[in-house]
Amino acid sequence: MKAIAVQPGAGIPAVVDRPVPEPAPGEALVRVCRVGVDGTDYEVIEGSHGGVPDGDDRLILGHEAVGVVEDANGTDLEEGQCVVPTVRRPPAGVETNDYFEAGEPDMAPDGEYVERGIVGAHGFMAEYVTSPADCLVPISAELAPWGFLVEPISITEKAIEHARATRSAFDWRPESALVLGTGSLGLLTAAMFAETLDYERVYCLGRNDRPHPTIDIVERLGATYIDSRETPVSEIAGAYEPMDIVYEATGYAKHAFESIDALAPNGVAALLGVPSDWSFEVDGGRLHRELVLHNKALVGSVNSNRRHFERAIETLSGLPDWVLESIVTGVYGLEAVDLAFPAATARVPAAGHASTVGEDDDTTIKTAVEFASI
């Protein structure tokens, strides 16, 4: 079978030949249809994040996938059923641990998991993959063409769940939301706030010049676009309004601290970006006071579990077609796989500079690789 693999830090993704995997007991064989490409893939390609499985020198990419059950192999799944795979698995040689037993692999610390297509386990960018049946989430055939968006949406489902949990001690009624970042995850999240979560006022921060398709999407959603070059995050509360929730999807380390100033009293910021090391000065005392005196909170969030995937499928069904069609700017077969990785030769920005993936290209927002029709 064909697969797309990379030597992290050593080049661009390449199409390779691999044997079709055999499902073990409790696993199903899945014929992969589409796999999304996101910023994490670029970090893996560059070598700044993730790692290959033990004993291998290449990693098969891909953690945002949708496929069809080819061989149910005695599981409760049905052959021909469309499914979306979750990402985390127990480490090699370990059947399970407390986090997986509790259905919360997303809360496992480093060393207690591997992630398909990211660290320690091959991903889904292959014609066929195997997976435990309980890690395959059914999706309708109607939604399946967009099924590779379920994983990123699930990331936001978890982040919002955890943000709400920090406010659960009182009657929190958020009305305003600020999304930091206009990559595909930021735009999907802005669409969720505007279309399925019914926030009254949604803002999205980027650094693109008009005209630009990402700005068009933000404004068609009825949201307000903020240019970070004109209004830094720390000044947004004064220039627009204090925000009940801030969703950070840039990986720009200063934004974590600037978000405190952007928050309204009782507000919460969910941090999703993973920055590289960078030392800089902040007024720690003032920010500490802001958190304490105004009941503000910061919460970090990474990965998601099956519950979030199931909610993400419901959310996907509620997003307008035009949003999905605008965000997904290209689906490419193996003969044009290079077009699915337009920034593959880019390097992770130097410390102090936000990621440019999804923002410097005038046309590319989100791409996917298609292995088979749905």
Side-chain angles (χ1 to χ4, degrees):
M1 70 172 185
K2 301 296 184 183
I4 298 174
V6 67
Q7 292 177 292
I12 62 174
V15 178
V16 299
D17 289 308
R18 291 288 187 271
V20 175
E22 292 284 340
E27 293 186 334
L29 178 68
V30 176
R31 174 170 54 85
V32 176
C33 297
R34 290 181 173 181
V35 185
V37 178
D38 76 349
T40 300
D41 293 306
Y42 287 112
E43 292 170 357
V44 171
I45 292 167
E46 198 275 342
S48 65
H49 186 63
V52 301
D54 290 341
D56 211 327
D57 64 349
R58 290 195 180 196
L59 175 72
I60 296 176
L61 289 170
H63 58 281
E64 305 174 351
V66 61
V68 175
V69 176
E70 183 82 4
D71 179 3
N73 193 36
T75 67
D76 291 335
L77 296 168
E78 297 180 2
E79 292 171 5
Q81 186 174 23
C82 296
V83 291
V84 173
T86 61
V87 177
R88 284 198 174 177
R89 304 288 186 272
V94 178
E95 289 187 6
T96 187
N97 58 39
D98 290 344
Y99 299 97
F100 287 83
E101 289 289 339
E104 296 175 341
D106 53 310
M107 302 309 295
D110 286 347
E112 298 292 323
Y113 64 85
V114 296
E115 290 179 328
R116 298 288 297 262
I118 301 174
V119 58
H122 289 303
F124 307 124
M125 279 193 185
E127 291 182 286
Y128 293 94
V129 298
T130 58
S131 174
D134 60 0
C135 295
L136 297 172
V137 185
I139 186 172
S140 69
E142 292 75 20
L143 279 180
W146 303 110
F148 60 91
L149 297 176
V150 169
E151 193 277 340
I153 293 173
S154 77
I155 297 297
T156 297
E157 292 285 356
K158 177 190 172 178
I160 293 174
E161 175 185 87
H162 281 230
R164 286 172 172 160
T166 71
R167 312 290 81 189
S168 62
F170 61 96
D171 184 18
W172 188 53
R173 300 182 182 182
E175 297 179 352
S176 58
L178 168 64
V179 177
L180 306 182
T182 55
S184 58
L185 180 59
L187 292 173
L188 283 169
T189 301
M192 291 170 64
F193 280 127
E195 296 288 339
T196 65
L197 298 171
D198 295 326
Y199 274 63
E200 292 186 12
R201 299 174 301 284
V202 179
Y203 302 81
C204 195
L205 178 119
R207 52 191 184 92
N208 292 314
D209 295 319
R210 298 176 185 273
H212 198 278
T214 59
I215 301 175
D216 293 341
I217 294 170
V218 169
E219 294 184 339
R220 187 173 175 184
L221 286 167
T224 299
Y225 176 72
I226 302 174
D227 190 328
S228 64
R229 297 166 298 185
E230 299 174 358
T231 309
V233 174
S234 58
E235 297 178 9
I236 286 176
Y240 294 90
E241 65 172 301
M243 303 294 165
D244 294 319
I245 185 169
V246 174
Y247 182 99
E248 181 275 316
T250 62
Y252 185 59
K254 280 190 175 181
H255 282 168
F257 302 94
E258 293 172 336
S259 293
I260 299 172
D261 287 321
L263 288 171
N266 304 322
V268 56
L271 310 179
L272 281 292
V274 182
S276 56
D277 291 345
W278 179 25
S279 297
F280 51 86
E281 291 186 1
V282 298
D283 186 343
R286 186 183 65 79
L287 295 178
H288 193 161
R289 288 196 305 274
E290 278 292 311
L291 290 169
V292 173
L293 296 180
H294 300 291
N295 294 309
K296 298 179 181 180
L298 301 179
V299 60
S301 182
V302 67
N303 204 263
S304 54
N305 61 44
R306 184 185 177 103
R307 181 179 71 254
H308 305 122
F309 272 70
E310 292 170 343
R311 287 212 299 263
I313 291 172
E314 294 180 14
T315 294
L316 180 63
S317 69
L319 292 177
D321 289 344
W322 74 262
V323 170
L324 308 179
E325 293 166 356
S326 298
I327 291 175
V328 178
T329 50
V331 178
Y332 303 98
L334 290 177
E335 73 284 353
V337 69
D338 57 318
L339 298 178
F341 294 90
T345 57
R347 289 293 178 258
V348 170
H353 296 276
S355 171
T356 60
V357 173
E359 294 201 5
D360 284 345
D361 190 308
D362 282 340
T363 59
T364 300
I365 300 175
K366 178 79 173 177
T367 62
V369 178
E370 184 170 75
F371 287 88
S373 59
I374 297 174

